[in-house]
């Protein structure tokens, strides 16, 4: 259609390609959350269409996006369950929100995960809701979302930073409900107890954390008199996807950081059964008290450790996230192959094994 043809041209332009077919997937072609934001902005400015960023995540091919636009069936980028990939006949992978609450950081996983839906849960303040009292209570709410979307079959979970602690807590909650959990992947996440003695972030430190999420450093704020408005301006200058947030939503993201930090410091971790993939960001960091070994007493199965020579904020970026996606996709296929063959017992009855450590090339 004419609209599909226009969208194919815009997809190609934002990706730096000569052409893109109507059924080609933005993330398969190298797209990420930043390029998705640029594409949405180009569609709004060049085609005059009222397009939200979430529609690009939900319909990441020119044909699917054209159909969504023609039907006026838009999807907010801030809804509680964000679809990053809709197609695939295998059990979904659910990504739990990091401190800022947005699931956009997981978009790069779609380049490696082709055979199943990829879904990102997002924090309640982004859609007008409120956090539960504790991290465990919040995990129970997320388990409700997961069961509504996937009422049967194994549940695969992944989370970066605070999202990893939520993935572990959500896995335990689902197991208490009798659900089978498959792959649980923790991306540079550490038990909340290790943060208990640390002071919670100040509003200024929260803004610095948001800049890190957007790929900037603290100098972009221009000193101690930083405000949310200045932070948004700095993100816009660098073309960050976070710059597409309005002032009200940006404030909700900042609130999510503060609430998540509080919940982490108050959280009491419990044992979850099954195996875990742990991805460690091994570049030097100031939080030298963090120790992944603390997970061993909280995980009933084996821990497979993959090391990536990047910083904590760099883990969701292109390169590292591609490595994570490839290894998680392989682990999910292997899990389902073993479970369907009946060659091994289910994860809840597996015995603990020693740490398996590998160094992974983030590029």
């Amino acid at each position: 259609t004419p609209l599909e043809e226009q969208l194919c041209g815009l997809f190609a332009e934002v990706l730096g390609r000569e052409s893109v077919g109507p059924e080609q997937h933005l993330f398969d072609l190298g797209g990420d959350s930043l390029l998705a934001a640029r594409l949405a902005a180009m569609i709004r400015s060049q085609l005059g269409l009222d397009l939200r960023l979430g529609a690009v995540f939900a319909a990441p091919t020119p044909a699917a996006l054209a159909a969504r636009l023609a039907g006026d069936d838009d999807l907010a980028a801030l809804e509680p369950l964000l679809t990053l990939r809709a197609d695939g006949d295998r059990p979904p992978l659910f990504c739990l929100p990091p401190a800022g609450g947005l699931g956009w950081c997981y978009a790069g996983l779609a380049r490696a995960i082709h055979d199943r839906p990829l879904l990102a849960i997002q924090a309640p303040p982004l859609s007008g809701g409120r956090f539960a009292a504790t991290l465990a209570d919040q995990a129970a709410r997320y388990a409700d979302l997961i069961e509504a979307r996937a009422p049967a079959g194994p549940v695969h979970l992944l989370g970066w930073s605070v999202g990893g602690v939520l993935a572990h807590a959500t896995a335990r909650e689902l197991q208490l409900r009798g659900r089978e959990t498959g792959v649980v992947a923790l991306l540079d996440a550490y038990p909340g107890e290790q943060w208990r003695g640390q002071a919670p972030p100040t509003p200024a430190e929260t803004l610095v954390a948001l800049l890190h999420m957007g790929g900037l450093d603290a100098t972009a704020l221009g000193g101690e008199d930083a405000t949310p408005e200045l932070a948004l301006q700095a993100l816009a200058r660098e073309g960050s996807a976070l710059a597409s947030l309005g002032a009200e939503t940006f404030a909700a993201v900042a609130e999510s950081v503060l609430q998540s930090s509080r919940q982490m410091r108050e959280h009491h971790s419990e044992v979850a059964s099954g195996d875990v993939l742990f991805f460690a960001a091994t570049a030097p960091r100031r939080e030298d008290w963090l120790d992944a070994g603390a997970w061993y007493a909280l995980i009933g199965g084996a821990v497979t450790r993959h090391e990536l020579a990047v910083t904590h904020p760099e883990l969701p970026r292109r390169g590292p996230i591609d490595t994570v996606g490839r290894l998680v996709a392989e682990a999910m296929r292997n899990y389902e192959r073993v479970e369907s063959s009946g060659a091994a017992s289910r994860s809840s009855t597996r015995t603990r094994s020693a740490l398996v450590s590998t160094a992974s090339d983030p590029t």
Side-chain angles (χ1 to χ4, degrees):
T1 68
L3 180 55
E4 287 176 350
E5 185 173 2
Q6 289 176 299
L7 291 173
C8 285
L10 293 179
F11 269 65
E13 183 177 345
V14 80
L15 290 164
R17 300 172 67 93
E18 288 188 8
S19 65
V20 169
E23 300 296 339
Q24 289 188 282
H25 195 291
L26 177 69
F27 301 116
D28 291 345
L29 297 175
D32 54 21
S33 60
L34 174 59
L35 290 181
R38 289 179 181 169
L39 177 62
M42 289 169 64
I43 291 171
R44 287 193 296 269
S45 64
Q46 297 188 31
L47 303 184
L49 297 172
D50 184 15
L51 177 76
R52 296 176 186 156
L53 180 57
V56 179
F57 289 124
T61 71
L65 192 55
R68 181 173 289 274
L69 288 166
D72 195 26
D73 181 19
D74 202 5
L75 178 68
L78 306 172
E79 65 177 11
L81 193 59
L82 176 64
T83 301
L84 299 174
R85 179 183 286 280
D87 55 332
D89 56 2
R90 291 180 179 269
L93 173 62
F94 292 92
C95 303
L96 281 297
L102 289 164
W104 304 1
C105 58
Y106 300 117
L109 291 169
R111 289 193 291 274
I113 296 173
H114 306 282
D115 56 357
R116 68 189 71 240
L118 177 62
L119 303 159
I121 296 174
Q122 305 196 108
L126 303 180
S127 53
R130 301 181 66 179
F131 271 99
T134 68
L135 190 144
D137 291 338
Q138 195 58 47
R141 289 187 182 179
Y142 292 153
D144 292 340
L145 278 175
I146 289 168
E147 291 208 286
R149 176 61 175 77
V155 177
H156 301 298
L157 302 168
L158 177 147
W160 169 51
S161 194
V162 174
V165 179
L166 280 165
H168 177 264
T170 303
R172 172 178 167 80
E173 174 65 26
L174 288 166
Q175 291 161 9
L176 290 174
R177 300 181 184 190
R179 289 299 301 273
E180 174 190 355
T181 54
V183 171
V184 177
L186 312 182
L187 278 57
D188 209 45
Y190 300 85
E193 287 82 353
Q194 295 190 8
W195 292 91
R196 192 156 292 152
Q198 305 301 318
T202 64
E205 288 170 337
T206 298
L207 293 178
V208 170
L210 292 176
L211 286 187
H212 285 163
M213 292 177 196
L216 284 72
D217 60 33
T219 59
L221 281 175
E224 293 295 326
D225 298 326
T227 64
E229 291 75 18
L230 288 175
L232 269 176
Q233 291 171 17
L235 291 165
R237 286 195 299 270
E238 296 299 319
S240 170
L242 290 178
S244 66
L245 299 173
E248 184 177 349
T249 303
F250 191 76
V253 172
E255 175 65 16
S256 180
V257 172
L258 292 172
Q259 291 290 346
S260 296
S261 299
R262 174 188 63 79
Q263 289 189 342
M264 281 281 283
R265 286 159 174 77
E266 298 172 355
H267 183 52
H268 294 276
S269 303
E270 302 285 350
V271 176
S273 60
D275 300 341
V276 160
L277 298 182
F278 183 84
F279 293 88
T282 60
R285 68 196 313 156
R286 63 186 182 90
E287 301 94 351
D288 55 5
W289 66 85
L290 296 175
D291 178 15
W295 282 120
Y296 301 144
L298 300 169
I299 293 167
V303 180
T304 302
R305 177 186 173 104
H306 298 282
E307 296 183 350
L308 297 108
V310 297
T311 65
H312 178 79
E314 289 171 340
L315 248 180
R317 299 180 190 171
R318 189 176 309 199
I321 201 66
D322 292 317
T323 299
V324 170
R326 175 174 54 81
L327 292 170
V328 170
E330 179 182 3
M332 290 188 294
R333 288 192 296 270
N334 289 340
Y335 179 90
E336 290 157 7
R337 188 179 304 116
V338 169
E339 294 298 300
S340 63
S341 68
S345 61
R346 295 193 178 275
S347 60
S348 60
T349 60
R350 291 175 184 165
T351 57
R352 182 184 304 277
S353 65
L355 169 69
V356 180
S357 182
T358 64
S360 301
D361 181 359
T363 60

